[in-house]
């Protein structure tokens, strides 16, 4: 044996000795090998992929509760014609909203005990089916503590045996007689919801447009298994959370645009009163015609706030552009291109008249300079964002559970794009002193974003940290940002120029080439995935199915799953979102109709109408051993087999049982 082989053998014995501290003898080691081998041969858990939720909490929450239609499908499979349509709707609603449904029924239903008995038996049948693909240990860990033992007894007993039938009936009668039926129904319904979705992937854009991103974040923080691929709207809020004034101004402007200032004030405790006072003083006589909110509830004050923060944003962004020449965004330094005396702007050699020429806070000789009041307002807002406990909790969660991309079970997930050149090759992007492309560019960009956030206390003072904070803003709107994926963000043009040709934002060539299999294969290889079995899962760009667009690209290599959760996009898409489902049989794409309300679901049994199509069928049922977790478990099995061998050879002492 060579010296190198001796060193390797010694290191392996050291490792196995450490492992023997957990598995102390042959019996314990063999038992664990058997357990792990059994798990490896179970069907893989069901993964759900959602993207571009944009603050639409009610619809998002309902999709989680109904498993994108999976709950209703299980009810049909288990009960067939045994239940009528009304009974199936009622059972589904109980699973989605158990507490609310019971409280609503209790107002008029005279014999609640009889109803409880019927519904509990039905819930047990559904729970038994959805738990069958998991180990009893995993199901037990998912159970609510108060009813863990009882649920185990009910779902794992052989109900066809007479003695067991009586035993289970006794348990149910006792639950009802001691007044715990409501709590039990809630517990088993929540367990069903938990088991329907094994892992949840959010492929970007939780924030902006809709009214309740904070509620979505609260839900995700309590979810059993979730990961997030950052979207451009998420990175904007993350930038605001680290104190970037450019990001803060954009966040406030978008909230004002969609009538969502209460997200800032009520949910996150950001005080907008100084900004409102400033807006009234400076824009009180301004009709702010082009700054009416899109929710149809605009008021003069809301429009004034909207315009005030937009002007501040243009100044701040101009300063970011000037101190970061490597961003190559001087053409977006809009206030430098305006002739304020004549009310015109020159873009690409062409002059355009401004449709709004009132700039009371702009010094035409130094247009990027904030007034003393503007500076004070923005500094106070920066501190408010940094000190908002709830916002910081949500941003930390986005960093803890999020990333620019994820490789999971042979799928590559990212929100925006992988920047490409005009001829479809990976584009070199200049990032803080070096040119990088593909995976290396995304890795470097993510590292800078993380460094910016975790050094946020210094971002206002340290030039180096300020530059990192500026980079997070660039990720929101920069030409080569993989999250933005367009040449320019035409915010100024949409507000101030009538000519709609100036509003056009050209997409990165990625969105042309991603329809081609060879491009998707190139990207998958770049991320060390096998193109023969792997897929790309993408969000960001709404798929306009009503105009004939398909979410399935490149012969099934890529799925774009932005189907319009955001109500602002639904007239264009004709849908209200997609869910991509990856279970042990393959992949299924589910499209959702608009959701009316949780109240209608509770009272009338209204559900989201979903239609599904199979997009990729596995030849053999996919097992845990075929997944990323399965590979980790197989490595554990291999190590345990080595330990077992070491015990048998006497290389490691076999402790007695």
């Amino acid at each position: 044996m060579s010296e190198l082989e001796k060193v390797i053998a010694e290191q392996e014995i050291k490792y196995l000795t450490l492992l023997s501290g957990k598995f102390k003898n042959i019996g314990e080691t063999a038992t664990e090998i058997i357990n792990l081998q059994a798990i490896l041969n179970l069907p893989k858990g069901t993964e759900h992929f959602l993207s571009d939720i944009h603050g639409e909490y009610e619809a998002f929450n309902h999709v989680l509760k109904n498993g994108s239609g999976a709950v209703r499908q299980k009810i049909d499979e288990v009960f067939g014609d045994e239940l009528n349509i009304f009974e199936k709707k009622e059972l589904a609603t109980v699973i989605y909203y158990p507490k609310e449904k019971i409280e609503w029924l209790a107002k008029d239903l005279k014999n609640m005990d009889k109803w409880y008995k019927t519904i509990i038996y039905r819930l047990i049948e559904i729970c038994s089916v959805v738990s069958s693909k998991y180990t009893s240990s995993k199901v037990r860990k998912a159970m609510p503590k108060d009813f863990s033992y009882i649920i185990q007894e009910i779902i794992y007993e052989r109900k066809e045996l007479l003695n067991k039938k009586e035993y289970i009936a006794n348990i149910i009668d006792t639950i009802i007689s001691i007044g715990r039926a409501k709590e039990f129904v809630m517990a088993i319904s929540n367990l069903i919801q938990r088991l329907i979705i094994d892992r949840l992937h959010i492929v970007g854009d939780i924030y902006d447009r809709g009214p309740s991103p904070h509620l979505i974040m609260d839900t995700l923080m309590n979810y059993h298994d979730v990961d997030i691929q950052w979207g451009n709207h998420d990175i904007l809020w993350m930038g605001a959370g680290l104190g970037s004034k450019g990001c803060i101004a954009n966040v406030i402007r978008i909230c004002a645009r969609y009538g969502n200032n209460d997200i800032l004030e009520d949910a996150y405790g950001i005080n907008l009163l100084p900004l409102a006072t400033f807006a009234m003083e400076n824009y009180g006589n301004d009709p702010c015609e082009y700054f009416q909110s899109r929710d149809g509830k605009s008021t003069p004050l809301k429009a004034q706030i909207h315009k005030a923060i937009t002007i501040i944003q243009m100044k701040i962004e101009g300063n970011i552009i000037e101190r970061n020449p490597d961003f190559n965004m001087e053409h977006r330094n809009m206030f430098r291109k305006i002739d304020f005396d004549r009310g015109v702007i020159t873009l690409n050699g062409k002059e355009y008249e401004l449709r709004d020429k009132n700039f009371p806070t702009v010094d035409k000789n130094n247009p990027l300079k904030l007034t003393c009041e503007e500076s004070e307002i923005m500094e106070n807002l920066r501190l408010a964002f940094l000190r908002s406990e709830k916002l910081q909790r949500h941003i930390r969660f986005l960093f803890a559970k999020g990333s620019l991309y994820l490789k999971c079970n042979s799928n590559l997930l990212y929100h925006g794009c992988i920047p490409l050149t005009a001829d479809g090759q990976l584009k070199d992007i200049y990032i803080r002193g070096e040119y990088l492309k593909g995976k290396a560019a995304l890795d470097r960009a993510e590292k800078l974003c993380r460094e910016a956030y975790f050094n946020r206390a210094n971002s206002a003072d340290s030039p180096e940290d300020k530059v990192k904070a500026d980079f997070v803003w660039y990720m929101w709107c920069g030409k080569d940002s993989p999250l933005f994926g367009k040449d320019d963000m035409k915010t100024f043009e949409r507000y101030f120029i009538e000519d709609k040709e100036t509003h056009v934002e050209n997409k990165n060539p990625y969105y042309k080439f991603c329809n081609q299999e060879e491009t998707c294969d190139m990207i998958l290889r770049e991320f060390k995935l096998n193109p023969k079995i792997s897929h790309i899962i993408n969000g960001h760009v709404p798929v306009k199915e009503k105009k004939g667009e398909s979410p399935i690209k490149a012969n099934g290599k890529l799925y774009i799953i932005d189907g319009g959760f955001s109500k602002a996009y639904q007239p264009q898409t004709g849908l209200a979102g997609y869910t991509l489902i990856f279970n042990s049989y393959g992949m299924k794409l589910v499209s959702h109709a608009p959701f009316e309300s949780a109240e209608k679901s509770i009272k009338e049994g209204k559900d989201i109408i979903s239609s599904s199509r199979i997009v990729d069928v596995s030849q053999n049922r996919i097992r845990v051993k075929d997944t990323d977790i399965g590979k980790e478990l197989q490595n554990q099995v291999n190590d345990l087999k080595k330990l077992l061998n070491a015990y048998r050879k006497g290389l490691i002492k076999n402790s007695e049982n």
Side-chain angles (χ1 to χ4, degrees):
M1 183 183 289
S2 70
E3 286 301 316
L4 179 60
E5 288 171 328
K6 286 179 182 178
V7 170
I8 293 171
E10 287 173 4
Q11 288 176 343
E12 186 166 281
I13 289 294
K14 283 181 181 178
Y15 170 69
L16 294 177
T17 302
L18 287 172
L19 191 59
S20 71
K22 187 173 181 182
F23 304 99
K24 295 181 172 57
N25 51 55
I26 288 174
E28 289 183 11
T29 307
T31 298
E32 185 65 8
I33 291 170
I34 294 166
N35 288 341
L36 292 177
Q37 286 288 175
I39 292 169
L40 286 168
N41 285 285
L42 284 171
K44 79 174 285 294
T46 302
E47 299 172 71
H48 279 225
F49 304 79
L50 299 171
S51 85
D52 299 87
I53 304 159
H54 285 300
E56 299 293 346
Y57 169 72
E58 272 216 338
F60 164 76
N61 192 45
H62 190 80
V63 164
L64 289 193
K65 287 177 177 296
N66 80 351
S68 301
V71 168
R72 185 56 191 270
Q73 184 181 338
K74 292 295 180 189
I75 290 171
D76 287 336
E77 289 173 5
V78 171
F79 293 105
D81 296 331
E82 185 182 333
L83 302 182
N84 60 38
I85 291 174
F86 171 80
E87 290 170 324
K88 288 179 179 178
K89 280 185 177 181
E90 181 182 66
L91 178 56
T93 306
V94 169
I95 293 171
Y96 308 156
Y97 305 102
K99 180 176 181 288
E100 295 83 353
K101 184 69 174 180
I102 290 168
E103 289 173 354
W104 185 74
L105 285 171
K107 294 175 185 177
D108 300 308
L109 198 61
K110 292 179 180 178
N111 193 343
M112 280 297 291
D113 286 357
K114 183 179 178 182
W115 180 86
Y116 275 131
K117 191 164 189 174
T118 301
I119 212 74
I120 287 172
Y121 271 109
R122 291 170 182 172
L123 288 171
I124 289 167
E125 291 300 316
I126 297 296
C127 193
S128 297
V129 170
V130 299
S131 63
S132 63
K133 70 189 294 186
Y134 303 110
T135 63
S136 58
S137 172
K138 183 167 184 172
V139 176
R140 186 170 61 252
K141 288 174 185 175
M143 289 176 183
K145 189 176 179 181
D146 288 353
F147 293 102
S148 178
Y149 174 75
I150 293 170
I151 295 174
Q152 284 182 74
E153 289 292 291
I154 288 173
I155 66 174
Y156 290 122
E157 288 293 350
R158 294 182 62 190
K159 304 174 192 64
E160 72 276 7
L161 300 177
L162 180 61
N163 289 343
K164 292 303 181 183
K165 279 184 180 180
E166 292 176 357
Y167 173 65
I168 291 168
N170 247 304
I171 290 175
I172 294 170
D173 287 342
T174 304
I175 290 169
I176 295 168
S177 68
I178 64 172
R180 293 286 284 168
K182 176 182 176 182
E183 290 75 14
F184 183 77
V185 169
M186 289 167 57
I188 199 165
S189 295
N190 290 332
L191 178 60
I192 292 167
Q193 289 182 34
R194 160 68 181 82
L195 296 174
I196 283 285
I197 301 175
D198 191 45
R199 183 170 180 178
L200 178 64
H201 306 281
I202 305 296
V203 193
D205 278 359
I206 296 163
Y207 280 92
D208 289 334
R209 298 197 179 94
S212 305
H214 54 292
L215 298 180
I216 295 170
M217 288 300 299
D218 286 341
T219 300
L220 294 177
M221 288 182 73
N222 291 309
Y223 208 72
H224 56 271
D225 194 355
V226 64
D227 54 71
I228 301 163
Q229 292 70 61
W230 303 329
N232 54 320
H233 288 271
D234 303 321
I235 206 73
L236 180 64
W237 279 78
M238 291 158 75
L242 69 85
S244 162
K245 291 179 182 177
C247 293
I248 289 169
N250 272 280
V251 160
I252 297 171
R253 177 185 61 79
I254 293 170
C255 283
R257 184 175 178 82
Y258 288 90
N260 290 327
N261 287 346
D262 55 341
I263 296 172
L264 295 166
E265 296 180 299
D266 299 338
Y268 290 129
I270 307 293
N271 183 11
L272 297 181
L273 184 58
L275 176 62
T277 303
F278 170 81
M280 284 190 293
E281 290 172 354
N282 288 276
Y283 300 94
N285 296 320
D286 188 330
C288 299
E289 181 183 354
Y290 303 105
F291 296 89
Q292 307 299 309
S293 60
R294 288 193 169 187
D295 63 349
K297 301 175 184 177
S298 197
T299 65
L301 178 57
K302 287 181 180 179
Q304 289 157 14
I305 292 171
H306 190 179
K307 182 170 181 181
I309 197 63
T310 302
I311 301 302
I312 291 172
Q313 176 189 317
M314 296 301 157
K315 293 182 180 183
I316 291 172
E317 290 185 334
N319 284 300
I320 292 174
I321 289 165
E322 290 191 352
R323 68 173 173 258
N324 293 277
D326 57 317
F327 288 172
N328 288 319
M329 292 180 69
E330 186 53 41
H331 65 291
R332 299 304 305 160
N333 195 349
M334 307 307 283
F335 276 16
R336 293 288 192 200
K337 303 179 184 305
I338 296 175
D339 182 332
F340 289 97
D341 291 326
R342 296 172 53 225
V344 297
I345 186 170
T346 302
L347 300 175
N348 300 318
K350 186 176 179 181
E351 194 171 87
Y352 297 90
E353 183 177 0
L354 299 178
R355 60 184 184 180
D356 185 331
K357 301 173 186 177
N358 185 32
F359 298 95
T361 68
V362 176
D363 178 353
K364 65 181 180 180
N365 296 314
N366 191 2
L368 301 186
K369 183 180 179 181
L370 274 72
T371 66
C372 291
E373 284 182 282
E374 288 173 329
S375 293
E376 185 179 351
I377 286 166
M378 288 309 300
E379 179 58 18
N380 287 334
L381 284 168
R382 184 184 77 86
L383 294 173
F385 273 77
L386 287 171
R387 292 168 181 169
S388 170
E389 185 181 340
K390 185 166 187 174
L391 176 64
Q392 292 300 329
R393 263 200 325 270
H394 287 171
I395 301 305
R396 286 195 300 272
F397 183 77
L398 284 170
F399 276 103
K401 292 291 185 178
S403 54
L404 279 179
Y405 68 90
L406 178 71
K407 295 192 293 180
C408 182
N409 296 332
S410 297
N411 293 314
L412 177 61
L413 288 60
Y414 52 80
H415 176 73
C417 70
I418 305 300
L420 301 180
T421 61
D423 60 353
Q425 300 305 304
L426 296 172
K427 184 177 182 180
D428 278 308
I429 301 169
Y430 188 76
I431 303 177
R432 296 308 186 209
E434 57 183 330
Y435 281 97
L436 298 165
K437 60 185 176 182
K439 181 179 181 297
L442 268 65
D443 288 339
R444 176 70 173 138
E446 181 174 326
K447 183 173 184 289
L448 285 171
C449 291
R450 292 185 182 278
E451 288 174 354
Y453 180 73
F454 291 104
N455 289 324
R456 62 192 178 282
N458 305 318
S459 61
D461 306 313
S462 162
E464 182 183 348
D465 290 320
K466 183 179 282 190
V467 163
K468 287 177 181 175
D470 289 347
F471 182 77
V472 179
W473 170 85
Y474 178 86
M475 290 291 284
W476 153 247
C477 62
K479 178 181 180 180
D480 289 327
S481 164
L483 297 179
F484 180 47
K486 297 178 184 177
D487 58 354
D488 292 311
M489 186 175 286
K490 301 292 185 73
T491 304
F492 179 90
E493 290 89 333
R494 289 195 296 270
Y495 284 115
F496 291 100
I497 301 176
E498 197 71 49
D499 188 345
K500 284 187 166 45
E501 284 189 10
T502 66
H503 303 183
V504 175
E505 298 170 345
N506 298 305
K507 294 177 186 174
N508 184 273
Y510 168 88
Y511 292 100
K512 169 187 172 185
F513 288 102
C514 71
N515 290 294
Q516 300 176 10
E517 281 191 68
E518 52 266 35
T519 299
C520 293
D521 289 349
M522 174 187 69
I523 292 171
L524 290 166
R525 282 193 295 268
E526 169 68 11
F527 286 83
K528 305 294 188 292
L529 287 170
N530 181 357
K532 291 182 179 178
I533 60 171
S534 300
H535 306 87
I536 296 170
I537 300 168
N538 204 171
H540 191 49
V541 177
V543 177
K544 300 168 185 174
E545 275 215 0
K546 65 185 292 184
K547 294 185 178 179
E549 292 182 7
S550 172
I552 305 166
K553 310 288 184 183
N555 198 25
K557 286 287 177 76
L558 182 147
Y559 304 109
I560 295 182
I561 59 169
D562 180 2
F565 255 104
S566 172
K567 289 179 181 175
Y569 283 136
Q570 288 172 14
Q572 302 173 45
T573 62
L575 300 169
Y578 290 116
T579 305
L580 184 67
I581 297 173
F582 182 26
N583 59 25
S584 58
Y585 295 104
M587 284 187 162
K588 178 170 65 173
L589 190 67
V590 181
S591 56
H592 307 295
F595 180 56
E596 292 192 51
S597 70
E599 184 181 6
K600 284 206 168 187
S601 180
I602 294 158
K603 293 181 178 179
E604 302 172 25
K606 292 275 187 183
D607 206 343
I608 289 181
I609 298 171
S610 302
S611 57
S612 61
R613 61 191 114 165
I614 305 298
V615 293
D616 187 26
V617 180
S618 176
Q619 295 298 315
N620 299 301
R621 197 170 187 191
I622 305 168
R623 306 285 172 179
V624 171
K625 65 185 177 183
D626 304 310
T627 67
D628 294 343
I629 290 173
K631 290 168 188 172
E632 293 174 16
L633 293 178
Q634 186 60 58
N635 287 334
Q636 292 177 35
V637 169
N638 296 340
D639 289 341
L640 287 166
K641 285 181 176 178
K642 289 178 183 178
L643 177 61
L644 191 63
N645 192 42
Y647 278 140
R648 286 172 173 163
K649 288 183 175 181
L651 298 174
I652 295 175
K653 186 178 178 181
N654 179 23
S655 302
E656 293 299 321
N657 289 323

